[in-house]
Each structure stands twice: as structure tokens, then as C-alpha cells.
Amino acid sequence: MVMDDKPREECGVIGIYAPDEDVARMAFFGLYALQHRGQEAAGIAVSDGRTMRLHKDMGMVAQIFTPQNLQALQGCYAIGHTRYSTTGSSHVRNAQPFMIETYDGPLAVAHNGNLVNAPVLRRELLQHGVGLSSSSDSEVITLMLAGAPAETWEGRIQYAMKHWRGAYSLVILTRDSVYAVRDPWGFRPLSVGQLPHGGYVAASESGALRTLGCEVIREVKPGEIVKLSNTALRVRQGHPPASPTALCTFEHIYFSRPDATWDGCNVHQVRQRLGAALAREAPVKADLVMPIPDSSTPAAIGYARVSGIPYTEGLVKNRYIGRTFIQPTDSLRRQGVALKFNALEENLRGQRVVVIDDSIVRGNTSGPLVKLLRDAGAREVHLRITCPPITHPCFMGVDMGTYEELIAHRLTQDEIRDHIDCDSLHFLSLESMMEAIGRQEGYCNACFTGRYPLEIDAVRAKTDFETALS
Ligand code: SF4
């Protein structure tokens, strides 16, 4: 992948019940709208009420699916997944959905999140003689559902929820049903919408629901099991919600598309408020405000509005370069961020610039970006970040790297400023960030504070499971 310094996207899931529709193609376009949440692999499983079929592979949605392989996926029940590997390495055996044959018919599962107790659950399955073919915690979820002691699928889901600890937004496909399930902490988003001609869709982001023409009805609430069916939605509280809940703050800061609604708030509006809060908290004399495109654009608009400093663009992003699997040549690699961004010299020459970015994770691209702006003629570069320093890793499904890789874990803010070589640097305070989001509690902020909402067994590497398989 081309040089980047963002938390790695999680995954995107979609579940569809749509009688008399081509659900495979609907799932394809739904996944297309969720592509930003994972570009390593994707898959769709479809059931026609008797037979379940699956197609999945490595790559992006448009590379994996063709009219021919979608045509083979016939039915009115579907689930889909687009993946970035958080637990389990990047390998086709870890691609989702997972599909297995059970005593009660076929079962397929797609999962967004990460179970913090997966190693324990995995060991228990192996001790009971259950074989595993992948290194993904999502396969553990699938096999636990298959073996859960209950009469119905809802009962099995409810039973398994008692044992799962961590982040899981799931879509589950059985022979004749689709379920949407969200963990009691509510880490990852999951919303439900109604199709205009009958049927329902569940998706990681409400924007994907609108892409399919749905009226967005509600979020799946923490701990809920929602069955998508022909009549009204069947909602069951599978597990009591955690108190307090622990919604991921990073959905607001970076992950979700700006058209998403997360916890009842429009993400674009929240990002504007984050920028406005930065302008109040860290004002500076400057000639222009510019974002690191694209995710920081709303925050730069907010900063410009409050500060009165004109908004402009200083960088043009090659939107597709970060998504390629073709490794750059050595000489292109030396180009670093220049492969991804071009500076607009005419806008920057002689200017004092406020640069808005959403986060600094490993700190490997901010310095080259500042240099790119200076080389283009910027006189001063003041960096403003719309969240606090990331000092702790995430164990709930977001890849931010290890403690040692996180620059804010190793260096003070002044040291980071010197490392990046900008004229000033400010991270938005936790208080101002939560004020901009409009909530005081119910959110996970562990990557900023180290206060994890649930007990983390051990500091585990991303490919923990691989050892068991290799
Ligand atoms: S640790 Fe950070 S990235 Fe992970 S769930 Fe919590 S807020 Fe989100």
C-alpha cells in the first residue's frame, strides 16, 4: 500500500431481505458504498430459501464481482462484507462471509469488529474438537453459532452473545432469514432501512442504505438482534446493553462517510463542529485554512468559519492511489506522499497556512506533507488535529499499530511538532472533542485515554492466531 498514516478502516457489512429483487446486485452496490471501510477482500452470500451460495475473493468490490458471478447468486436473502484485516492476516481464507453447513442448514456470517476474548473462545472450540480453517475471530463467531444449544437461530445468537466480549456488528444469513446483531457496547455502527417495494436492509452506514433507495428507519441498538422479514422488523434484546455503552469516537473523526448518521448525529456536521472547536481552542494568525483531503474537509470549513480565515485547498489527492495493491517502484516509493498528494503552488506561495488533519497515528506522513507544502512556497505551516493524541492501541477492531508504533506514545507534543517540523501543532482536547460530538458519555475513547471499556486479556498482536495455524 502507498504511504498512509490513518487508523486502518474496519469492515463494512450489509444484510438484505428483498423478495422479487436481485439481492446479489443490491448487495454489490451496498458494498460499493461501504468500500472505504475495507479494501482487502469482499464477499456476498445469497440464499433462495433452500440453497445458499457464496462468492468471495481478495481485492476491491469492483474487481471481485462480475455480472456472471453475481448472476449465480440467486435468492431473496443476502449478506455481504468488505474487509480490512484487523484480526487475522490478509489472506483469502480470512475473507468473509464465512459459510458453513450446520445441522439446521447453511449458515453464513459477516462481522465488523474484534472480539477481545477470541483467543480463549478459539481454544475452547479446538478443545471440543472443532476444526478451524482461518485465523479470523469471525470464524469463531460462526462456529459458536452453529454449536449453540438452542432451538432457534435467535436463541443461538442470544446464547452466543453471553460469551462474546468485544466489538461485533454482525449480519447473519440462514436458509430463510437475515439477522442484524450489535454488541452490548455498541462499538461499531449498524443501521436498518426499509426498501420502497418491500423488504429491509441492514448496513454499517446509513449512506449505504440510501444508496439502495431505503428509508432509514433506525440504528440497531446495543445488544439487539433484528430479524429482517417480510412483515414488520422483529427486534429482540439479545443481551442487556452495557452501562455505559462504548461507541467508537473514530466513526465521527475519520471512518464514516460524511453522509452517515452515527448515534443520531450527521457526521459532516460533527466534523464541522470539531474544526470550529479547534479554531476556538488553538487560534493562530494565518492567511488560509486548508484540509488534508478528504476526511478533514468539513473540519477545515468549521475552522475557517469560526476563525474568519479564508478556506482554500492546498493539496489535490489522487483518490485511488492508496487503494492499489501494486507496490510502487523504489523510485516512486521515494516520492512518498507526493504519490498521493500534489500541492497547489499557486494557492500556497508566500502564505501562512493552517492545515487541518483528523489524526496522527504513526506520524510518518505529517512531516513529508509539511515539507511538500513548504516546497510549494508556504511561509508557515500550523497543524491542527481534530482529536487528542493517540497514545494507546485499539483492541476492538481498529488497526492503529502497537504502543511502540504510536508516535504520541513515544513523544511529547513538542517533540512531535519538532519531528514533523511544523511551526505549531495542536491536538483538540478530549473535552472539546466530546462537546463537539454532543455527548459526555457512552463513547469509547480508549485510544486517547488508555481507559478500555472492557478488560483486555493481554496485549495481543494482530496475527496472534496465525501462530496457531502455522
Ligand atoms: S480504542 Fe479508539 S478506535 Fe478503538 S473503539 Fe475505542 S475509540 Fe474506537
Side-chain angles (χ1 to χ4, degrees):
M1 294 286 272
V2 170
M3 193 172 181
D4 201 353
D5 185 34
K6 294 295 160 203
R8 292 288 177 203
E9 291 95 335
E10 316 144 340
C11 299
V13 296
I14 190 152
I16 303 171
Y17 169 66
D20 309 320
E21 291 272 5
D22 184 343
V23 285
R25 269 203 281 172
M26 291 176 76
F28 170 82
F29 283 105
L31 289 180
Y32 218 102
L34 297 170
Q35 183 75 85
H36 59 287
R37 299 182 72 88
Q39 293 93 36
E40 289 194 358
I44 296 172
V46 174
S47 175
D48 60 6
R50 283 172 308 169
T51 308
M52 194 181 287
R53 295 179 182 86
L54 167 72
H55 184 78
K56 62 181 178 178
D57 208 340
M58 301 299 290
M60 292 176 61
V61 176
Q63 296 164 329
I64 295 169
F65 294 101
T66 63
Q68 290 73 29
N69 60 36
L70 284 173
Q71 180 65 28
L73 302 174
Q74 291 290 329
C76 54
Y77 310 92
I79 63 169
H81 188 265
T82 180
R83 169 182 167 81
Y84 169 74
S85 62
T86 47
T87 297
S89 65
S90 182
H91 192 282
V92 71
R93 71 181 176 209
N94 289 320
Q96 298 189 39
F98 275 101
M99 189 175 93
I100 56 171
E101 193 61 37
T102 77
Y103 184 73
D104 292 284
L107 170 72
V109 175
H111 170 212
N112 172 205
N114 196 39
L115 296 184
V116 300
N117 65 337
V120 176
L121 298 174
R122 184 182 172 83
R123 205 173 316 121
E124 284 172 8
L125 282 172
L126 292 170
Q127 278 166 353
H128 284 91
V130 178
L132 294 158
S133 64
S134 81
S135 60
S136 161
D137 61 345
S138 311
E139 189 187 25
V140 171
I141 287 175
T142 312
L143 290 167
M144 284 182 70
L145 284 174
E151 292 296 312
T152 63
W153 284 112
E154 272 155 302
R156 291 179 195 118
I157 297 167
Q158 193 161 5
Y159 174 86
M161 286 174 87
K162 283 189 231 154
H163 300 268
W164 295 334
R165 293 186 58 74
Y168 56 91
S169 279
L170 302 173
V171 283
I172 299 170
L173 176 68
T174 66
R175 192 168 10 220
D176 55 5
S177 304
V178 176
Y179 298 92
V181 182
R182 189 155 166 226
D183 67 67
W185 296 267
F187 284 107
R188 308 273 155 251
L190 195 58
S191 295
V192 182
Q194 186 165 22
L195 287 160
H197 304 297
Y200 292 93
V201 181
S204 295
E205 291 184 24
S206 51
L209 299 177
R210 282 191 284 268
T211 296
L212 298 182
C214 287
E215 182 195 344
V216 180
I217 307 176
R218 72 200 293 277
E219 293 182 14
V220 178
K221 298 198 183 105
E224 275 187 349
I225 304 168
V226 176
K227 182 176 181 184
L228 313 185
S229 69
N230 208 5
T231 52
L233 284 180
R234 200 153 89 200
V235 180
R236 177 169 174 169
Q237 193 69 43
H239 192 286
S243 179
T245 54
L247 282 62
C248 176
T249 314
F250 251 92
E251 292 290 342
H252 283 307
I253 294 167
Y254 175 67
F255 288 129
S256 287
R257 266 172 35 164
D259 59 349
T261 303
W262 173 223
D263 188 27
C265 306
N266 168 254
V267 169
H268 193 281
Q269 296 288 323
V270 170
R271 289 182 188 162
Q272 283 199 35
R273 292 201 294 271
L274 290 166
L278 264 176
R280 283 189 283 271
E281 201 173 272
V284 63
K285 281 203 169 63
D287 304 306
L288 60 92
V289 179
M290 56 161 280
I292 303 291
D294 296 321
S295 50
S296 305
T297 301
I301 292 169
Y303 192 103
R305 203 180 52 228
V306 168
S307 65
I309 302 169
Y311 169 95
T312 194
E313 292 184 31
L315 291 169
V316 175
K317 181 179 179 183
N318 178 353
R319 288 192 168 77
Y320 302 101
I321 193 77
R323 313 299 196 206
T324 180
F325 286 91
I326 311 294
Q327 291 298 326
T329 63
D330 284 347
S331 59
L332 283 174
R333 201 191 305 276
R334 276 194 290 278
Q335 290 247 85
V337 293
L339 206 55
K340 193 167 176 181
F341 295 104
N342 286 346
L344 286 162
E345 288 183 28
E346 290 73 9
N347 289 0
L348 295 165
R349 203 171 301 125
Q351 302 294 302
R352 295 168 301 173
V353 184
V354 183
V355 179
I356 310 295
D357 201 357
D358 46 70
S359 54
I360 296 179
V361 185
R362 294 169 176 83
N364 55 341
T365 62
S366 304
L369 275 171
V370 169
K371 183 169 183 309
L372 192 67
L373 298 173
R374 288 199 200 280
D375 289 348
R379 189 150 53 95
E380 293 176 18
V381 180
H382 301 275
L383 192 52
R384 299 289 180 270
I385 309 297
T386 60
C387 70
I390 298 170
T391 50
H392 294 71
C394 175
F395 297 100
M396 282 74 71
V398 176
D399 183 2
M400 296 181 155
T402 61
Y403 278 103
E404 292 66 36
E405 287 168 332
L406 295 171
I407 191 168
H409 182 75
R410 298 194 315 270
L411 305 181
T412 66
Q413 292 190 37
D414 286 349
E415 288 169 339
I416 297 173
R417 182 201 58 213
D418 294 345
H419 175 83
I420 290 170
D421 192 27
C422 54
D423 294 277
S424 72
L425 169 67
H426 184 83
F427 292 88
L428 189 63
S429 66
L430 191 68
E431 297 69 34
S432 295
M433 180 182 74
M434 293 315 293
E435 207 173 294
I437 290 171
R439 304 277 189 272
Q440 290 312 311
E441 56 181 30
Y443 274 79
C444 174
N445 283 316
C447 46
F448 312 120
T449 63
R451 290 193 295 276
Y452 291 92
L454 32 67
E455 197 181 322
I456 307 297
D457 293 342
V459 178
R460 289 180 291 116
K462 174 182 151 194
T463 48
D464 218 19
F465 291 158
E466 292 293 291
T467 324
L469 283 174
S470 56

